[in-house]
């Protein structure tokens, strides 16, 4: 079982039993040594047994705390997106670090402030050497905490890539594009770009298509023709009829924008293709051709 998976009830009970057993050993070791002073072996191992018991209790307690948190956070609810794996990894790292420091403090019988101070220079040199990696890691933490996207979301990372989020790691985020291409992006680059999430706050969203028709065609008739044709599309969301708006009006042609609802992002191209095909068939049946549309003015 990975750290990103919720443990079962039996696993949690085993962890709790391990914590209780370790605490019991740590609690009875020294009282037994005082009660039976003639046992030299018990006198010799009482202190190490106590420290070992407390150390095991620290690590078992950290594992138990992580298991309870993971079971609660990964509990699937309707309409709730999964918790990013990086958050559970960060929680496990913090709990493990606390348990390690507590265990070292028990065995060395002093606090760890001197050790941490002495290793500060080494950490500074190491941090400078791996500064790019640290930038990716901290960006991954920020993405995990702010959660602009979750696993399974369709996103567009400006100038970088577009696809479905498959994994959010410490250093990189992995996407799968429409063409089933695996794209791996450093988290520091993602955090510096504009992110468009097509799956939030819900998977359904509205897209649009534009076309320009001759100016001699009445607007009311054109809107009715386009709306009726687009409403017969099977790929778009049902229960929400398309809307047709006029965006450009001029002697060379009138531009219409038809808005429709896409069920989810991976069906966007299919929806657009069907909407255009139905509108094209309706226009050809009526003998209506597209207009060239207004040309942009270079001197404006």
């Amino acid at each position: 079982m990975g750290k990103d998976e919720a443990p079962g009830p039996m696993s949690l009970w085993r962890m709790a039993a391990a914590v209780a057993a370790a605490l019991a050993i740590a609690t009875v070791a020294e009282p037994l040594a005082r009660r039976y002073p003639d046992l030299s072996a018990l006198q010799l191992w009482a202190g190490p047994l106590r420290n070992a018991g407390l150390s095991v209790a620290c690590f078992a307690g950290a594992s138990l705390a992580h298991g309870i948190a993971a079971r609660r956070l990964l509990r699937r609810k309707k309409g709730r997106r999964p918790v990013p794996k990086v958050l559970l990894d960060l929680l496990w790292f913090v709990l493990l670090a606390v348990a390690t420091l507590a265990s070292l403090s028990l065995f060395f019988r002093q606090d760890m402030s001197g050790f941490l101070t002495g290793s500060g220079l080494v950490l500074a040199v190491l941090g400078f050497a791996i500064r790019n990696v640290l930038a990716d890691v901290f960006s991954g933490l920020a993405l995990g905490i702010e959660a602009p996207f979750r696993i399974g979301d369709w996103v567009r990372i400006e100038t970088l890539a577009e696809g479905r989020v498959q994994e959010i790691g410490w250093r990189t985020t992995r996407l799968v594009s429409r063409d089933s291409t695996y794209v791996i992006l450093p988290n520091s680059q993602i955090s510096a770009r504009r992110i468009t999430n097509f799956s939030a706050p819900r998977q359904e969203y509205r897209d649009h298509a534009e076309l320009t028709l001759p100016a001699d065609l009445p607007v009311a008739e054109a809107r009715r023709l386009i709306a009726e044709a687009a409403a017969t599309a099977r790929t778009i969301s049902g229960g929400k009829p398309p809307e047709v708006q006029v965006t450009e009006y001029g002697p060379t042609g009138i531009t219409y924008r038809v808005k429709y609802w896409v069920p989810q992002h991976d069906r966007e191209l299919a929806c657009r293709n069907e909407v255009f095909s139905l509108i094209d068939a309706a226009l050809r049946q009526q003998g209506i051709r597209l207009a060239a549309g207004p040309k942009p003015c270079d001197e404006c």
Side-chain angles (χ1 to χ4, degrees), residues 35-271:
R35 185 176 180 84
Y36 301 101
D38 297 336
L39 297 178
S40 58
L42 185 59
Q43 294 289 333
L44 180 64
W45 290 100
L49 277 176
R50 172 183 173 275
N51 293 337
L54 291 176
S55 178
V56 171
C58 288
F59 285 101
S63 181
L64 177 62
H66 178 268
I68 294 174
R71 185 173 178 81
R72 184 175 182 83
L73 293 175
L74 294 178
R75 185 180 301 166
R76 297 298 181 88
K77 295 182 179 180
K78 186 177 180 180
R80 177 181 174 184
R81 294 183 294 173
V83 175
K85 177 178 178 294
V86 66
L87 288 183
L88 295 177
D89 290 342
L90 177 62
L91 175 62
W92 174 243
F93 175 78
V94 172
L95 292 173
L96 189 62
V98 172
T100 301
L101 290 177
S103 299
L104 291 176
S105 178
L106 285 171
F107 283 103
F108 288 99
R109 295 184 178 277
Q110 60 182 1
D111 58 34
M112 300 304 297
S113 58
F115 173 78
L116 295 177
T117 303
S119 60
L121 180 61
V122 176
L123 292 176
V125 174
L126 182 62
F128 180 79
I130 59 173
R131 59 189 183 277
N132 293 332
V133 176
L134 291 177
D136 291 333
V137 170
F138 283 114
S139 297
L141 291 177
L143 291 174
I145 294 173
E146 295 180 4
F149 51 79
R150 304 288 179 91
I151 295 175
D153 287 356
W154 279 93
V155 298
R156 177 187 296 144
I157 312 299
E158 185 180 25
T159 71
L160 291 180
E162 177 179 333
R164 185 191 294 272
V165 180
Q166 184 171 10
E167 183 180 350
I168 306 173
W170 284 92
R171 290 191 59 247
T172 60
T173 295
R174 293 166 172 81
L175 308 178
V176 177
S177 68
R178 295 178 184 273
D179 301 326
S180 299
T181 304
Y182 207 43
V183 183
I184 303 175
L185 300 173
N187 289 329
S188 58
Q189 294 188 20
I190 296 176
S191 61
R193 300 296 197 281
R194 183 173 62 184
I195 302 172
T196 303
N197 192 336
F198 297 100
S199 302
R202 56 185 180 272
Q203 291 196 0
E204 187 182 47
Y205 66 96
R206 193 158 68 169
D207 196 11
H208 68 272
E210 292 187 354
L211 67 158
T212 303
L213 299 181
D216 56 356
L217 179 65
V219 172
E221 183 180 350
R223 292 183 59 187
R224 179 190 58 80
L225 186 64
I226 296 172
E228 290 179 355
T232 60
R234 297 182 178 180
T235 54
I236 64 176
S237 299
K240 297 181 178 180
E243 298 179 12
V244 181
Q245 301 173 346
V246 177
T247 60
E248 295 286 344
Y249 187 91
T252 58
I254 303 175
T255 301
Y256 299 88
R257 175 179 295 169
V258 52
K259 295 183 177 181
Y260 51 90
W261 288 89
V262 179
Q264 57 188 37
H265 186 64
D266 56 346
R267 299 179 63 182
E268 178 183 342
L269 295 181
C271 292

